[in-house]
Amino acid sequence: IRDLEKLHVGITKVMIGNLDVNNVTPLVAEVLGMDEDDNKVKSLAETIHKKTDGNPFFVLMFLRSLYDEKLLQYNFGAWKWTWDDGAVNSAIVTENVASVLVDKMNRLQEETQRVLMVA
């Protein structure tokens, strides 16, 4: 971004603050394709908000980690997402972007990790 600014390229910075639970709920509902008035969605959104402080990046990363850890699964028989509230409450939220990326990289196959280290 700094290089672009030095070239006088017009850049618009948008600062996004943390979301309140009333904004996290429709976001979670949209991601899951569910109704935001569903009590299970509201409960999940409240838990996610509490664990992420409403940071939009961490809200989405936490949802992804729930899926990756199989704590959030799609039930094809019921045609909806399912989760265990207790397991979600116990899930750990990574505190910073670097930790999220390192955690994701550690889940990659060893060969893929070696390629990334060389790159």
Side-chain angles (χ1 to χ4, degrees):
I1 293 178
R2 289 184 191 133
D3 290 341
L4 293 173
E5 288 173 336
K6 288 177 187 175
L7 295 172
H8 302 290
V9 173
I11 296 175
T12 302
K13 294 179 184 178
V14 178
M15 302 302 283
I16 299 175
N18 290 357
L19 305 172
D20 65 25
V21 72
N22 294 323
N23 297 118
V24 172
T25 302
L27 176 60
V28 170
E30 179 71 22
V31 167
L32 300 178
M34 298 176 73
D35 186 352
E36 67 184 82
D37 292 325
D38 183 310
N39 286 333
K40 285 225 15 127
V41 171
K42 287 180 179 180
S43 175
L44 179 62
E46 288 170 5
T47 300
I48 291 172
H49 181 265
K50 189 178 350 173
K51 288 184 164 285
T52 64
D53 290 326
N55 179 307
F57 176 76
F58 288 122
V59 167
L60 296 174
M61 292 304 295
F62 185 63
L63 273 168
R64 179 59 192 224
S65 73
L66 292 176
Y67 174 77
D68 289 344
E69 298 293 324
K70 299 190 182 354
L71 299 176
L72 177 64
Q73 297 183 334
Y74 192 76
N75 181 328
F76 287 97
W79 292 86
K80 67 178 183 176
W81 289 94
T82 59
W83 59 90
D84 177 314
D85 288 324
V88 171
N89 279 320
S90 298
I92 297 170
V93 177
T94 305
E95 301 265 337
N96 62 56
V97 175
S99 294
V100 169
L101 296 176
V102 167
D103 185 49
K104 284 182 135 336
M105 288 178 66
N106 286 335
R107 292 183 193 181
L108 298 172
Q109 296 177 357
E110 275 188 51
E111 180 64 26
T112 305
Q113 289 182 30
R114 280 194 294 272
V115 168
L116 288 173
M117 282 191 240
V118 173

